[in-house]
């Protein structure tokens, strides 16, 4: 009985998870990384209310069966069969509507020669819901919005960004100059559909170039708070090894997380004295020998890199629907 698991589908989002027979639905959903709203976990706040559309469910408070069509509290319900629930508070990937927020600058610190780590605090943080892997825009007066991946997990109170700012990145430099003033900044978030609503059921391949690592950090931090137990392989490509501004963090993940492996990839020959992998990022990924028919891929980098990677992996056997990148949305092929 205790090892039995039932699939639960949440509508209208279509998000699915497995519910353990000896656990309430809210606990199983939270373990899978699904952001079901709650405040008390004992049925008082009623934030985790849903409606039973099909299946057999038990009210764990009074041990009564819940009739189809009835309302239920996920924290007080156990699955006795595969279930279909209606809960509008759970959003599908990319379906949470962007909103404008004013954030306070907590910290701006340099983490290598041209990348800054930015920490922002939102006074109305409880009103914000986003998925791991999404991004935001920084909206400065009289300037076009600047878009940056969110580097923090949705469960964190503050928002973390990794911003590359140098003379050739004028818009990013303006953002850093504005943020270091210590004043508040206007944001719009969340954006992007290449994100995780729940822990995937397949092994995960993460491919980042440059500050695309920020998106991967959000995904990894999020998965660490779930029951996800599949292998994760991270490829991080850069022109020079010192451009991997948080390489020590990725190496620490490899030590701490079971099934996690990290492969740094340097593209140029000018770093021949470094012992890292001297191959182009896409070729290095292809050489990893993964089962492309059973993996989910998230990629962040230039459109050229992303499309080259996607084409190569699809040709190698990856189902196209298993490839996720914001590039497919903001730079679609004509």
């Amino acid at each position: 009985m205790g090892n039995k698991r039932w699939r639960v589908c949440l509508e209208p989002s279509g998000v699915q998870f497995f519910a353990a027979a000896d656990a309430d639905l809210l606990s199983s959903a939270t373990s899978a990384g699904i952001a079901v709203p709650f405040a008390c976990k004992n049925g008082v706040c009623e934030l985790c209310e849903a409606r039973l559309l099909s299946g057999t469910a038990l009210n764990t408070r009074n041990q009564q069966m819940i009739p189809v069509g009835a309302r239920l509290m996920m924290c007080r319900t156990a699955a006795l069969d595969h279930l279909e629930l209606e809960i509008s508070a759970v959003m599908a990937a990319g379906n949470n509507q962007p909103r404008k927020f004013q954030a306070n600058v907590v910290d701006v610190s340099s983490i290598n020669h041209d990348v800054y780590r930015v920490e922002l605090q939102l006074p109305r943080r409880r009103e914000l819901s986003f998925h791991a892997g999404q991004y935001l825009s920084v909206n400065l007066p009289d300037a076009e919005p600047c878009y940056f991946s969110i580097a923090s997990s949705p469960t964190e109170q503050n928002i973390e960004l990794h911003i590359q700012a140098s003379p050739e990145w004028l818009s990013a430099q303006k953002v850093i100059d504005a943020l270091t003033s210590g004043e508040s900044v206007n944001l719009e978030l969340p954006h992007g559909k290449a994100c995780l609503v729940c822990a995937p059921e397949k092994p995960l391949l993460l491919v980042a170039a440059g500050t695309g690592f920020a998106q991967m950090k959000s995904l990894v931090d999020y998965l660490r708070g779930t029951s996800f137990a599949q292998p994760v392989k991270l490829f991080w490509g850069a022109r020079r090894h010192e451009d991997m501004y948080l390489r020590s963090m990725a190496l620490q993940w490899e030590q701490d997380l079971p099934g996690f492996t990290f492969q740094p990839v340097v593209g140029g020959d000018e770093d021949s004295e470094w012992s890292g992998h001297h191959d182009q990022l896409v070729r290095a990924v292809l050489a990893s020998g993964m089962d492309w028919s059973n993996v989910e891929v998230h990629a962040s980098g230039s459109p050229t890199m992303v499309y080259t990677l996607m084409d190569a992996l699809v040709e190698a056997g990856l189902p196209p629907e298993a490839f996720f990148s914001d590039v497919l949305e903001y730079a679609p092929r004509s």
Side-chain angles (χ1 to χ4, degrees):
M1 177 72 173
N3 293 328
K4 187 68 177 178
R5 299 198 311 160
W6 304 104
R7 184 177 290 275
V8 180
C9 181
L10 305 180
E11 297 294 352
S13 67
V15 174
Q16 300 185 28
F17 67 97
F18 282 100
D22 57 354
D24 63 82
L25 296 182
L26 178 61
S27 296
S28 293
T30 302
S31 180
I34 300 173
V36 176
F38 69 89
C40 67
K41 289 191 174 182
N42 60 17
V44 175
C45 71
E46 300 187 348
L47 293 178
C48 65
E49 183 181 69
R51 186 166 69 92
L52 181 62
L53 299 178
S54 66
T56 306
L58 177 72
N59 184 320
T60 58
R61 180 68 59 87
N62 58 23
Q63 298 300 305
Q64 299 293 313
M65 306 299 283
I66 300 173
V68 172
R71 311 299 295 184
L72 58 84
M73 301 301 152
M74 292 181 65
C75 64
R76 298 192 322 207
T77 303
L80 302 180
D81 193 357
H82 301 303
L83 303 181
E84 186 179 9
L85 305 179
E86 180 183 61
I87 176 168
S88 59
V90 175
M91 299 288 182
N95 279 13
N96 31 17
Q97 292 299 309
R99 298 177 55 188
K100 297 185 186 307
F101 293 87
Q102 189 173 67
N104 297 322
V105 180
V106 176
D107 182 63
V108 178
S109 56
S110 174
I111 48 180
N112 84 341
H113 60 281
D114 64 354
V115 177
Y116 294 82
R117 179 187 177 273
V118 175
E119 185 179 358
L120 303 173
Q121 180 187 58
L122 275 64
R124 293 159 30 220
R125 178 65 179 89
R126 296 186 65 179
E127 300 178 19
L128 170 65
S129 174
F130 69 92
H131 296 138
Q134 291 193 289
Y135 60 95
L136 56 73
S137 68
V138 175
N139 302 327
L140 300 179
D142 303 319
E144 292 293 322
C146 288
Y147 295 92
F148 304 101
S149 292
I150 301 172
S152 44
S153 166
T155 59
E156 296 294 327
Q157 286 302 306
N158 290 346
I159 299 294
E160 180 180 341
L161 306 176
H162 300 164
I163 298 180
Q164 184 176 23
S166 58
E168 59 265 30
W169 297 92
L170 294 179
S171 58
Q173 186 62 59
K174 288 181 180 179
V175 170
I176 290 298
D177 292 342
L179 295 176
T180 51
S181 69
E183 298 181 0
S184 60
V185 62
N186 293 320
L187 309 176
E188 183 176 89
L189 69 160
H191 296 283
K193 297 181 179 180
C195 52
L196 291 179
V197 181
C198 59
E201 298 177 14
K202 296 179 180 180
L204 203 57
L205 171 64
L206 308 178
V207 184
T211 51
F213 176 79
Q215 184 180 30
M216 306 310 156
K217 179 181 178 297
S218 176
L219 298 178
V220 173
D221 284 350
Y222 162 75
L223 290 173
R224 295 177 72 176
T226 73
S227 58
F228 183 70
Q230 296 285 348
V232 179
K233 191 169 185 66
L234 168 65
F235 284 82
W236 188 3
R239 294 178 181 175
R240 300 170 299 175
H241 70 90
E242 58 263 32
D243 291 335
M244 294 183 185
Y245 53 89
L246 287 178
R247 182 167 172 261
S248 60
M249 176 180 288
L251 290 171
Q252 192 65 49
W253 290 341
E254 190 169 42
Q255 290 187 21
D256 296 343
L257 305 179
F260 184 94
T261 55
F262 168 50
Q263 177 66 69
V265 181
V266 170
D269 294 331
E270 67 272 15
D271 299 298
S272 57
E273 295 183 359
W274 185 54
S275 59
H277 196 310
H278 292 267
D279 200 354
Q280 295 299 321
L281 185 56
V282 174
R283 291 170 55 195
V285 172
L286 285 172
S288 65
M290 300 185 71
D291 178 5
W292 302 119
S293 65
N294 184 43
V295 66
E296 181 171 316
V297 180
H298 288 256
S300 181
S302 69
T304 299
M305 185 279 283
V306 168
Y307 281 117
T308 301
L309 176 67
M310 183 179 71
D311 291 343
L313 294 183
V314 170
E315 184 178 355
L318 179 77
E321 63 272 14
F323 188 92
F324 298 89
S325 176
D326 291 319
V327 166
L328 307 185
E329 182 181 1
Y330 73 74
R333 283 170 164 163
S334 55

